[in-house]
PDB file of all heavy atoms in Angstrom:
ATOM      1  N   ALA A   1       6.561  -3.017   2.282  1.00  0.00           N
ATOM      2  CA  ALA A   1       6.291  -1.685   2.324  1.00  0.00           C
ATOM      3  C   ALA A   1       5.212  -1.391   1.317  1.00  0.00           C
ATOM      4  O   ALA A   1       4.971  -2.193   0.276  1.00  0.00           O
ATOM      5  CB  ALA A   1       7.523  -0.724   2.069  1.00  0.00           C
ATOM      6  N   ILE A   2       4.586  -0.177   1.453  1.00  0.00           N
ATOM      7  CA  ILE A   2       3.531   0.239   0.426  1.00  0.00           C
ATOM      8  C   ILE A   2       4.178   1.508  -0.215  1.00  0.00           C
ATOM      9  O   ILE A   2       4.615   2.447   0.537  1.00  0.00           O
ATOM     10  CB  ILE A   2       2.269   0.455   1.030  1.00  0.00           C
ATOM     11  CG1 ILE A   2       1.535  -0.774   1.432  1.00  0.00           C
ATOM     12  CG2 ILE A   2       1.315   1.284   0.043  1.00  0.00           C
ATOM     13  CD1 ILE A   2       0.295  -0.646   2.188  1.00  0.00           C
ATOM     14  N   TYR A   3       4.119   1.677  -1.518  1.00  0.00           N
ATOM     15  CA  TYR A   3       4.588   2.828  -2.260  1.00  0.00           C
ATOM     16  C   TYR A   3       3.570   3.410  -3.110  1.00  0.00           C
ATOM     17  O   TYR A   3       2.497   2.793  -3.511  1.00  0.00           O
ATOM     18  CB  TYR A   3       5.705   2.350  -3.207  1.00  0.00           C
ATOM     19  CG  TYR A   3       6.953   1.997  -2.561  1.00  0.00           C
ATOM     20  CD1 TYR A   3       7.074   0.587  -2.001  1.00  0.00           C
ATOM     21  CD2 TYR A   3       7.984   2.839  -2.221  1.00  0.00           C
ATOM     22  CE1 TYR A   3       8.276   0.129  -1.558  1.00  0.00           C
ATOM     23  CE2 TYR A   3       9.238   2.369  -1.542  1.00  0.00           C
ATOM     24  CZ  TYR A   3       9.199   0.997  -1.215  1.00  0.00           C
ATOM     25  OH  TYR A   3      10.519   0.575  -0.533  1.00  0.00           O
ATOM     26  N   TYR A   4       3.763   4.618  -3.474  1.00  0.00           N
ATOM     27  CA  TYR A   4       2.804   5.397  -4.463  1.00  0.00           C
ATOM     28  C   TYR A   4       3.770   5.860  -5.453  1.00  0.00           C
ATOM     29  O   TYR A   4       4.936   6.417  -5.252  1.00  0.00           O
ATOM     30  CB  TYR A   4       2.089   6.549  -3.862  1.00  0.00           C
ATOM     31  CG  TYR A   4       1.032   7.089  -4.788  1.00  0.00           C
ATOM     32  CD1 TYR A   4      -0.025   6.657  -5.141  1.00  0.00           C
ATOM     33  CD2 TYR A   4       1.456   8.358  -5.537  1.00  0.00           C
ATOM     34  CE1 TYR A   4      -1.039   7.065  -5.909  1.00  0.00           C
ATOM     35  CE2 TYR A   4       0.653   8.965  -6.245  1.00  0.00           C
ATOM     36  CZ  TYR A   4      -0.682   8.362  -6.488  1.00  0.00           C
ATOM     37  OH  TYR A   4      -1.518   9.012  -7.337  1.00  0.00           O
ATOM     38  N   ALA A   5       3.436   5.928  -6.868  1.00  0.00           N
ATOM     39  CA  ALA A   5       4.323   6.243  -7.795  1.00  0.00           C
ATOM     40  C   ALA A   5       3.560   6.962  -9.050  1.00  0.00           C
ATOM     41  O   ALA A   5       2.327   6.520  -9.268  1.00  0.00           O
ATOM     42  CB  ALA A   5       5.067   5.031  -8.416  1.00  0.00           C
ATOM     43  N   ALA A   6       4.172   7.685  -9.811  1.00  0.00           N
ATOM     44  CA  ALA A   6       3.658   8.337 -11.015  1.00  0.00           C
ATOM     45  C   ALA A   6       3.815   7.360 -12.216  1.00  0.00           C
ATOM     46  O   ALA A   6       4.822   6.715 -12.313  1.00  0.00           O
ATOM     47  CB  ALA A   6       4.284   9.712 -11.268  1.00  0.00           C
ATOM     48  N   ALA A   7       2.825   7.320 -13.010  1.00  0.00           N
ATOM     49  CA  ALA A   7       2.937   6.424 -14.197  1.00  0.00           C
ATOM     50  C   ALA A   7       4.026   6.686 -15.178  1.00  0.00           C
ATOM     51  O   ALA A   7       4.301   5.784 -15.951  1.00  0.00           O
ATOM     52  CB  ALA A   7       1.469   6.403 -14.908  1.00  0.00           C
ATOM     53  N   ASP A   8       4.521   7.916 -15.206  1.00  0.00           N
ATOM     54  CA  ASP A   8       5.466   8.334 -16.155  1.00  0.00           C
ATOM     55  C   ASP A   8       6.937   8.113 -15.609  1.00  0.00           C
ATOM     56  O   ASP A   8       7.956   8.277 -16.313  1.00  0.00           O
ATOM     57  CB  ASP A   8       5.372   9.690 -16.550  1.00  0.00           C
ATOM     58  CG  ASP A   8       5.548  10.795 -15.453  1.00  0.00           C
ATOM     59  OD1 ASP A   8       5.816  10.339 -14.311  1.00  0.00           O
ATOM     60  OD2 ASP A   8       5.365  11.957 -15.660  1.00  0.00           O
ATOM     61  N   GLY A   9       7.107   7.431 -14.478  1.00  0.00           N
ATOM     62  CA  GLY A   9       8.502   7.138 -13.963  1.00  0.00           C
ATOM     63  C   GLY A   9       9.199   8.213 -13.306  1.00  0.00           C
ATOM     64  O   GLY A   9      10.350   8.109 -12.943  1.00  0.00           O
ATOM     65  N   SER A  10       8.368   9.379 -12.948  1.00  0.00           N
ATOM     66  CA  SER A  10       8.954  10.608 -12.470  1.00  0.00           C
ATOM     67  C   SER A  10       9.078  10.644 -10.920  1.00  0.00           C
ATOM     68  O   SER A  10       9.977  11.505 -10.439  1.00  0.00           O
ATOM     69  CB  SER A  10       8.242  11.778 -13.018  1.00  0.00           C
ATOM     70  OG  SER A  10       7.024  11.879 -12.558  1.00  0.00           O
ATOM     71  N   LYS A  11       8.228   9.863 -10.217  1.00  0.00           N
ATOM     72  CA  LYS A  11       8.187  10.177  -8.744  1.00  0.00           C
ATOM     73  C   LYS A  11       7.736   8.901  -8.031  1.00  0.00           C
ATOM     74  O   LYS A  11       6.760   8.351  -8.458  1.00  0.00           O
ATOM     75  CB  LYS A  11       7.187  11.361  -8.458  1.00  0.00           C
ATOM     76  CG  LYS A  11       7.162  11.732  -7.007  1.00  0.00           C
ATOM     77  CD  LYS A  11       6.178  12.872  -6.735  1.00  0.00           C
ATOM     78  CE  LYS A  11       6.120  13.307  -5.301  1.00  0.00           C
ATOM     79  NZ  LYS A  11       5.176  14.454  -5.097  1.00  0.00           N
ATOM     80  N   ILE A  12       8.300   8.532  -6.954  1.00  0.00           N
ATOM     81  CA  ILE A  12       7.871   7.475  -6.160  1.00  0.00           C
ATOM     82  C   ILE A  12       8.046   7.736  -4.685  1.00  0.00           C
ATOM     83  O   ILE A  12       9.087   8.568  -4.305  1.00  0.00           O
ATOM     84  CB  ILE A  12       8.812   6.279  -6.517  1.00  0.00           C
ATOM     85  CG1 ILE A  12       8.313   4.991  -5.686  1.00  0.00           C
ATOM     86  CG2 ILE A  12      10.185   6.379  -6.398  1.00  0.00           C
ATOM     87  CD1 ILE A  12       9.035   3.630  -6.040  1.00  0.00           C
ATOM     88  N   SER A  13       7.133   7.352  -3.827  1.00  0.00           N
ATOM     89  CA  SER A  13       7.196   7.659  -2.442  1.00  0.00           C
ATOM     90  C   SER A  13       6.878   6.404  -1.586  1.00  0.00           C
ATOM     91  O   SER A  13       6.138   5.678  -2.067  1.00  0.00           O
ATOM     92  CB  SER A  13       6.436   8.921  -1.976  1.00  0.00           C
ATOM     93  OG  SER A  13       5.011   8.586  -2.244  1.00  0.00           O
ATOM     94  N   ARG A  14       7.546   6.230  -0.431  1.00  0.00           N
ATOM     95  CA  ARG A  14       7.150   5.135   0.448  1.00  0.00           C
ATOM     96  C   ARG A  14       6.076   5.602   1.357  1.00  0.00           C
ATOM     97  O   ARG A  14       6.487   6.555   2.236  1.00  0.00           O
ATOM     98  CB  ARG A  14       8.538   4.579   1.102  1.00  0.00           C
ATOM     99  CG  ARG A  14       8.156   3.336   1.867  1.00  0.00           C
ATOM    100  CD  ARG A  14       9.361   2.485   2.182  1.00  0.00           C
ATOM    101  NE  ARG A  14      10.445   3.222   2.767  1.00  0.00           N
ATOM    102  CZ  ARG A  14      11.775   2.955   2.815  1.00  0.00           C
ATOM    103  NH1 ARG A  14      12.147   1.834   1.989  1.00  0.00           N
ATOM    104  NH2 ARG A  14      12.632   3.588   3.228  1.00  0.00           N
ATOM    105  N   GLN A  15       4.962   5.044   1.389  1.00  0.00           N
ATOM    106  CA  GLN A  15       3.882   5.494   2.286  1.00  0.00           C
ATOM    107  C   GLN A  15       3.751   4.724   3.469  1.00  0.00           C
ATOM    108  O   GLN A  15       3.060   5.136   4.372  1.00  0.00           O
ATOM    109  CB  GLN A  15       2.601   5.620   1.400  1.00  0.00           C
ATOM    110  CG  GLN A  15       2.622   6.825   0.484  1.00  0.00           C
ATOM    111  CD  GLN A  15       2.738   8.134   1.111  1.00  0.00           C
ATOM    112  OE1 GLN A  15       1.883   8.319   1.941  1.00  0.00           O
ATOM    113  NE2 GLN A  15       3.653   9.030   0.693  1.00  0.00           N
ATOM    114  N   ARG A  16       4.139   3.500   3.496  1.00  0.00           N
ATOM    115  CA  ARG A  16       3.997   2.651   4.736  1.00  0.00           C
ATOM    116  C   ARG A  16       5.281   1.723   4.763  1.00  0.00           C
ATOM    117  O   ARG A  16       5.449   0.934   3.822  1.00  0.00           O
ATOM    118  CB  ARG A  16       2.774   1.945   4.755  1.00  0.00           C
ATOM    119  CG  ARG A  16       2.292   1.323   6.084  1.00  0.00           C
ATOM    120  CD  ARG A  16       2.082   2.466   7.136  1.00  0.00           C
ATOM    121  NE  ARG A  16       0.618   2.776   7.244  1.00  0.00           N
ATOM    122  CZ  ARG A  16       0.049   4.052   7.068  1.00  0.00           C
ATOM    123  NH1 ARG A  16       0.856   5.036   6.682  1.00  0.00           N
ATOM    124  NH2 ARG A  16      -1.147   4.209   7.320  1.00  0.00           N
ATOM    125  N   ALA A  17       6.058   1.728   5.723  1.00  0.00           N
ATOM    126  CA  ALA A  17       7.233   0.983   5.694  1.00  0.00           C
ATOM    127  C   ALA A  17       7.068  -0.178   6.896  1.00  0.00           C
ATOM    128  O   ALA A  17       6.163  -0.129   7.716  1.00  0.00           O
ATOM    129  CB  ALA A  17       8.584   1.815   6.248  1.00  0.00           C
ATOM    130  N   ASP A  18       7.991  -1.140   6.897  1.00  0.00           N
ATOM    131  CA  ASP A  18       7.963  -2.159   7.967  1.00  0.00           C
ATOM    132  C   ASP A  18       6.736  -2.984   8.193  1.00  0.00           C
ATOM    133  O   ASP A  18       6.378  -3.277   9.265  1.00  0.00           O
ATOM    134  CB  ASP A  18       8.421  -1.487   9.343  1.00  0.00           C
ATOM    135  CG  ASP A  18       9.749  -0.856   9.226  1.00  0.00           C
ATOM    136  OD1 ASP A  18      10.570  -1.394   8.487  1.00  0.00           O
ATOM    137  OD2 ASP A  18       9.907   0.167   9.774  1.00  0.00           O
ATOM    138  N   MET A  19       5.967  -3.206   7.082  1.00  0.00           N
ATOM    139  CA  MET A  19       4.938  -4.045   7.108  1.00  0.00           C
ATOM    140  C   MET A  19       5.384  -5.614   7.047  1.00  0.00           C
ATOM    141  O   MET A  19       6.553  -5.842   6.516  1.00  0.00           O
ATOM    142  CB  MET A  19       3.817  -3.837   5.999  1.00  0.00           C
ATOM    143  CG  MET A  19       3.152  -2.524   6.170  1.00  0.00           C
ATOM    144  SD  MET A  19       1.922  -2.080   4.961  1.00  0.00           S
ATOM    145  CE  MET A  19       0.664  -3.371   5.523  1.00  0.00           C
ATOM    146  N   MET A  20       4.609  -6.449   7.353  1.00  0.00           N
ATOM    147  CA  MET A  20       4.915  -7.856   7.515  1.00  0.00           C
ATOM    148  C   MET A  20       4.503  -8.588   6.161  1.00  0.00           C
ATOM    149  O   MET A  20       3.475  -9.343   6.088  1.00  0.00           O
ATOM    150  CB  MET A  20       4.258  -8.517   8.726  1.00  0.00           C
ATOM    151  CG  MET A  20       4.863  -8.024   9.930  1.00  0.00           C
ATOM    152  SD  MET A  20       6.618  -8.128  10.204  1.00  0.00           S
ATOM    153  CE  MET A  20       6.680  -9.951  10.381  1.00  0.00           C
ATOM    154  N   GLY A  21       5.161  -8.240   5.011  1.00  0.00           N
ATOM    155  CA  GLY A  21       4.842  -8.858   3.765  1.00  0.00           C
ATOM    156  C   GLY A  21       3.400  -8.505   3.131  1.00  0.00           C
ATOM    157  O   GLY A  21       2.654  -9.410   2.849  1.00  0.00           O
ATOM    158  N   PRO A  22       3.207  -7.142   2.947  1.00  0.00           N
ATOM    159  CA  PRO A  22       2.015  -6.748   2.284  1.00  0.00           C
ATOM    160  C   PRO A  22       1.891  -7.366   0.883  1.00  0.00           C
ATOM    161  O   PRO A  22       2.896  -7.391   0.256  1.00  0.00           O
ATOM    162  CB  PRO A  22       2.058  -5.166   2.299  1.00  0.00           C
ATOM    163  CG  PRO A  22       3.533  -4.814   2.366  1.00  0.00           C
ATOM    164  CD  PRO A  22       4.218  -6.042   3.151  1.00  0.00           C
ATOM    165  N   ASN A  23       0.745  -7.841   0.432  1.00  0.00           N
ATOM    166  CA  ASN A  23       0.552  -8.563  -0.714  1.00  0.00           C
ATOM    167  C   ASN A  23      -0.440  -7.807  -1.679  1.00  0.00           C
ATOM    168  O   ASN A  23      -0.258  -7.119  -2.346  1.00  0.00           O
ATOM    169  CB  ASN A  23       0.182  -9.935  -0.558  1.00  0.00           C
ATOM    170  CG  ASN A  23       0.234 -10.899  -1.688  1.00  0.00           C
ATOM    171  OD1 ASN A  23      -0.115 -10.453  -2.746  1.00  0.00           O
ATOM    172  ND2 ASN A  23       0.795 -12.115  -1.473  1.00  0.00           N
ATOM    173  N   GLY A  24      -1.857  -8.084  -1.378  1.00  0.00           N
ATOM    174  CA  GLY A  24      -2.822  -7.643  -2.101  1.00  0.00           C
ATOM    175  C   GLY A  24      -3.052  -6.072  -1.826  1.00  0.00           C
ATOM    176  O   GLY A  24      -2.892  -5.655  -0.641  1.00  0.00           O
ATOM    177  N   ILE A  25      -3.501  -5.285  -2.774  1.00  0.00           N
ATOM    178  CA  ILE A  25      -3.746  -3.890  -2.521  1.00  0.00           C
ATOM    179  C   ILE A  25      -5.086  -3.529  -3.334  1.00  0.00           C
ATOM    180  O   ILE A  25      -5.175  -3.910  -4.418  1.00  0.00           O
ATOM    181  CB  ILE A  25      -2.614  -3.016  -2.802  1.00  0.00           C
ATOM    182  CG1 ILE A  25      -2.698  -1.594  -2.259  1.00  0.00           C
ATOM    183  CG2 ILE A  25      -2.248  -2.905  -4.415  1.00  0.00           C
ATOM    184  CD1 ILE A  25      -1.339  -0.899  -2.149  1.00  0.00           C
ATOM    185  N   GLY A  26      -5.896  -2.657  -2.811  1.00  0.00           N
ATOM    186  CA  GLY A  26      -7.156  -2.168  -3.309  1.00  0.00           C
ATOM    187  C   GLY A  26      -7.627  -0.901  -2.836  1.00  0.00           C
ATOM    188  O   GLY A  26      -7.158  -0.441  -1.722  1.00  0.00           O
ATOM    189  N   LEU A  27      -8.443  -0.333  -3.621  1.00  0.00           N
ATOM    190  CA  LEU A  27      -9.025   1.018  -3.195  1.00  0.00           C
ATOM    191  C   LEU A  27     -10.540   0.756  -2.862  1.00  0.00           C
ATOM    192  O   LEU A  27     -11.168   0.061  -3.618  1.00  0.00           O
ATOM    193  CB  LEU A  27      -8.851   2.067  -4.270  1.00  0.00           C
ATOM    194  CG  LEU A  27      -7.412   2.612  -4.619  1.00  0.00           C
ATOM    195  CD1 LEU A  27      -7.383   3.437  -5.740  1.00  0.00           C
ATOM    196  CD2 LEU A  27      -7.112   3.597  -3.246  1.00  0.00           C
ATOM    197  N   SER A  28     -11.101   1.555  -1.857  1.00  0.00           N
ATOM    198  CA  SER A  28     -12.508   1.574  -1.563  1.00  0.00           C
ATOM    199  C   SER A  28     -13.236   2.102  -2.876  1.00  0.00           C
ATOM    200  O   SER A  28     -12.607   3.012  -3.605  1.00  0.00           O
ATOM    201  CB  SER A  28     -12.734   2.375  -0.375  1.00  0.00           C
ATOM    202  OG  SER A  28     -12.314   3.651  -0.468  1.00  0.00           O
ATOM    203  N   PRO A  29     -14.544   1.885  -2.919  1.00  0.00           N
ATOM    204  CA  PRO A  29     -15.308   2.507  -4.084  1.00  0.00           C
ATOM    205  C   PRO A  29     -15.235   4.088  -4.189  1.00  0.00           C
ATOM    206  O   PRO A  29     -15.228   4.534  -5.286  1.00  0.00           O
ATOM    207  CB  PRO A  29     -16.750   2.072  -3.789  1.00  0.00           C
ATOM    208  CG  PRO A  29     -16.464   0.692  -3.116  1.00  0.00           C
ATOM    209  CD  PRO A  29     -15.361   0.908  -2.136  1.00  0.00           C
ATOM    210  N   ASP A  30     -15.100   4.677  -3.050  1.00  0.00           N
ATOM    211  CA  ASP A  30     -15.030   6.219  -3.102  1.00  0.00           C
ATOM    212  C   ASP A  30     -13.592   6.642  -3.219  1.00  0.00           C
ATOM    213  O   ASP A  30     -13.348   7.875  -3.212  1.00  0.00           O
ATOM    214  CB  ASP A  30     -15.674   6.779  -1.865  1.00  0.00           C
ATOM    215  CG  ASP A  30     -15.068   6.417  -0.592  1.00  0.00           C
ATOM    216  OD1 ASP A  30     -14.005   5.733  -0.534  1.00  0.00           O
ATOM    217  OD2 ASP A  30     -15.579   6.791   0.491  1.00  0.00           O
ATOM    218  N   GLY A  31     -12.627   5.774  -3.228  1.00  0.00           N
ATOM    219  CA  GLY A  31     -11.180   6.183  -3.384  1.00  0.00           C
ATOM    220  C   GLY A  31     -10.590   6.713  -2.207  1.00  0.00           C
ATOM    221  O   GLY A  31      -9.357   7.315  -2.198  1.00  0.00           O
ATOM    222  N   LYS A  32     -11.212   6.761  -1.040  1.00  0.00           N
ATOM    223  CA  LYS A  32     -10.661   7.416   0.166  1.00  0.00           C
ATOM    224  C   LYS A  32      -9.928   6.447   1.152  1.00  0.00           C
ATOM    225  O   LYS A  32      -9.292   6.913   2.032  1.00  0.00           O
ATOM    226  CB  LYS A  32     -11.893   8.096   0.921  1.00  0.00           C
ATOM    227  CG  LYS A  32     -12.464   9.238   0.129  1.00  0.00           C
ATOM    228  CD  LYS A  32     -13.539   9.917   0.805  1.00  0.00           C
ATOM    229  CE  LYS A  32     -14.343  10.936   0.151  1.00  0.00           C
ATOM    230  NZ  LYS A  32     -15.374  11.671   0.789  1.00  0.00           N
ATOM    231  N   THR A  33     -10.086   5.073   0.756  1.00  0.00           N
ATOM    232  CA  THR A  33      -9.367   4.159   1.758  1.00  0.00           C
ATOM    233  C   THR A  33      -8.547   3.234   0.882  1.00  0.00           C
ATOM    234  O   THR A  33      -9.024   2.673  -0.101  1.00  0.00           O
ATOM    235  CB  THR A  33     -10.452   3.416   2.498  1.00  0.00           C
ATOM    236  OG1 THR A  33     -11.249   4.331   3.246  1.00  0.00           O
ATOM    237  CG2 THR A  33      -9.824   2.509   3.567  1.00  0.00           C
ATOM    238  N   LEU A  34      -7.401   2.974   1.370  1.00  0.00           N
ATOM    239  CA  LEU A  34      -6.526   2.035   0.800  1.00  0.00           C
ATOM    240  C   LEU A  34      -6.532   0.683   1.618  1.00  0.00           C
ATOM    241  O   LEU A  34      -6.380   0.769   2.845  1.00  0.00           O
ATOM    242  CB  LEU A  34      -5.081   2.575   0.604  1.00  0.00           C
ATOM    243  CG  LEU A  34      -4.080   1.576  -0.118  1.00  0.00           C
ATOM    244  CD1 LEU A  34      -4.322   1.566  -1.621  1.00  0.00           C
ATOM    245  CD2 LEU A  34      -2.722   1.895   0.092  1.00  0.00           C
ATOM    246  N   TYR A  35      -6.681  -0.448   0.908  1.00  0.00           N
ATOM    247  CA  TYR A  35      -6.639  -1.762   1.654  1.00  0.00           C
ATOM    248  C   TYR A  35      -5.400  -2.437   1.340  1.00  0.00           C
ATOM    249  O   TYR A  35      -4.997  -2.464   0.142  1.00  0.00           O
ATOM    250  CB  TYR A  35      -8.026  -2.519   1.351  1.00  0.00           C
ATOM    251  CG  TYR A  35      -9.253  -1.920   1.785  1.00  0.00           C
ATOM    252  CD1 TYR A  35     -10.222  -1.461   0.821  1.00  0.00           C
ATOM    253  CD2 TYR A  35      -9.599  -1.875   3.144  1.00  0.00           C
ATOM    254  CE1 TYR A  35     -11.422  -0.902   1.056  1.00  0.00           C
ATOM    255  CE2 TYR A  35     -10.736  -1.193   3.479  1.00  0.00           C
ATOM    256  CZ  TYR A  35     -11.604  -0.702   2.492  1.00  0.00           C
ATOM    257  OH  TYR A  35     -12.786  -0.171   2.942  1.00  0.00           O
ATOM    258  N   ALA A  36      -4.945  -3.135   2.244  1.00  0.00           N
ATOM    259  CA  ALA A  36      -3.737  -4.196   1.967  1.00  0.00           C
ATOM    260  C   ALA A  36      -3.883  -5.480   2.813  1.00  0.00           C
ATOM    261  O   ALA A  36      -4.252  -5.219   3.980  1.00  0.00           O
ATOM    262  CB  ALA A  36      -2.444  -3.387   2.167  1.00  0.00           C
ATOM    263  N   SER A  37      -3.580  -6.481   2.289  1.00  0.00           N
ATOM    264  CA  SER A  37      -3.584  -7.696   2.875  1.00  0.00           C
ATOM    265  C   SER A  37      -2.118  -8.195   3.245  1.00  0.00           C
ATOM    266  O   SER A  37      -1.134  -8.029   2.267  1.00  0.00           O
ATOM    267  CB  SER A  37      -4.197  -8.779   2.084  1.00  0.00           C
ATOM    268  OG  SER A  37      -3.610  -9.048   0.888  1.00  0.00           O
ATOM    269  N   GLU A  38      -1.798  -8.602   4.355  1.00  0.00           N
ATOM    270  CA  GLU A  38      -0.435  -9.224   4.710  1.00  0.00           C
ATOM    271  C   GLU A  38      -0.647 -10.780   4.635  1.00  0.00           C
ATOM    272  O   GLU A  38      -1.486 -11.322   5.116  1.00  0.00           O
ATOM    273  CB  GLU A  38      -0.027  -8.747   6.127  1.00  0.00           C
ATOM    274  CG  GLU A  38       0.321  -7.448   6.160  1.00  0.00           C
ATOM    275  CD  GLU A  38       0.768  -6.951   7.601  1.00  0.00           C
ATOM    276  OE1 GLU A  38       0.211  -7.582   8.598  1.00  0.00           O
ATOM    277  OE2 GLU A  38       1.693  -6.112   7.751  1.00  0.00           O
ATOM    278  N   THR A  39       0.389 -11.448   3.871  1.00  0.00           N
ATOM    279  CA  THR A  39       0.165 -12.798   3.734  1.00  0.00           C
ATOM    280  C   THR A  39       0.351 -13.608   4.973  1.00  0.00           C
ATOM    281  O   THR A  39      -0.546 -14.440   5.289  1.00  0.00           O
ATOM    282  CB  THR A  39       1.200 -13.256   2.639  1.00  0.00           C
ATOM    283  OG1 THR A  39       1.034 -12.596   1.469  1.00  0.00           O
ATOM    284  CG2 THR A  39       1.052 -14.812   2.336  1.00  0.00           C
ATOM    285  N   MET A  40       1.490 -13.587   5.657  1.00  0.00           N
ATOM    286  CA  MET A  40       1.869 -14.557   6.650  1.00  0.00           C
ATOM    287  C   MET A  40       1.013 -14.176   7.945  1.00  0.00           C
ATOM    288  O   MET A  40       0.593 -15.079   8.676  1.00  0.00           O
ATOM    289  CB  MET A  40       3.226 -14.421   6.979  1.00  0.00           C
ATOM    290  CG  MET A  40       4.189 -14.927   5.791  1.00  0.00           C
ATOM    291  SD  MET A  40       3.617 -16.602   5.006  1.00  0.00           S
ATOM    292  CE  MET A  40       3.909 -17.575   6.346  1.00  0.00           C
ATOM    293  N   THR A  41       0.684 -12.849   8.248  1.00  0.00           N
ATOM    294  CA  THR A  41      -0.072 -12.567   9.379  1.00  0.00           C
ATOM    295  C   THR A  41      -1.697 -12.880   9.079  1.00  0.00           C
ATOM    296  O   THR A  41      -2.468 -12.818  10.035  1.00  0.00           O
ATOM    297  CB  THR A  41       0.071 -11.137   9.855  1.00  0.00           C
ATOM    298  OG1 THR A  41      -0.457 -10.142   8.771  1.00  0.00           O
ATOM    299  CG2 THR A  41       1.485 -10.803  10.046  1.00  0.00           C
ATOM    300  N   ALA A  42      -1.918 -12.847   7.819  1.00  0.00           N
ATOM    301  CA  ALA A  42      -3.309 -13.149   7.406  1.00  0.00           C
ATOM    302  C   ALA A  42      -4.308 -12.111   7.834  1.00  0.00           C
ATOM    303  O   ALA A  42      -5.482 -12.278   8.371  1.00  0.00           O
ATOM    304  CB  ALA A  42      -3.903 -14.502   7.800  1.00  0.00           C
ATOM    305  N   ARG A  43      -3.820 -10.761   7.890  1.00  0.00           N
ATOM    306  CA  ARG A  43      -4.599  -9.772   8.171  1.00  0.00           C
ATOM    307  C   ARG A  43      -4.919  -8.726   6.950  1.00  0.00           C
ATOM    308  O   ARG A  43      -3.982  -8.588   6.234  1.00  0.00           O
ATOM    309  CB  ARG A  43      -3.846  -8.858   9.308  1.00  0.00           C
ATOM    310  CG  ARG A  43      -3.778  -9.629  10.593  1.00  0.00           C
ATOM    311  CD  ARG A  43      -2.855  -9.101  11.659  1.00  0.00           C
ATOM    312  NE  ARG A  43      -2.769  -9.806  12.866  1.00  0.00           N
ATOM    313  CZ  ARG A  43      -1.733  -9.654  13.715  1.00  0.00           C
ATOM    314  NH1 ARG A  43      -0.628  -9.005  13.425  1.00  0.00           N
ATOM    315  NH2 ARG A  43      -1.801 -10.390  14.851  1.00  0.00           N
TER     316      ARG A  43
END
C-alpha cells in the first residue's frame, strides 16, 4: 500500500491499497504527480 503521514507522528492515511509490492516512490518536479514502482510486476 501507499501511505501519507505527518512528520510529527500525528496523522497517517492509506491512499492506495492492494498494490503488488510497491517499492520506490517519488514526486514529479511540480509536486502534482506521485510515482511508485512495483517490484515483482516491474511496473
Side-chain angles (χ1 to χ4, degrees):
I2 292 176
Y3 293 87
Y4 185 82
D8 62 1
S10 64
K11 184 179 180 182
I12 181 173
S13 65
R14 185 161 55 203
Q15 288 295 309
R16 197 64 99 241
D18 298 324
M19 294 186 71
M20 297 298 291
N23 191 320
I25 196 164
L27 288 165
S28 61
D30 64 6
K32 296 179 180 180
T33 304
L34 186 74
Y35 298 112
S37 60
E38 289 180 330
T39 299
M40 301 307 294
T41 69
R43 292 171 180 152

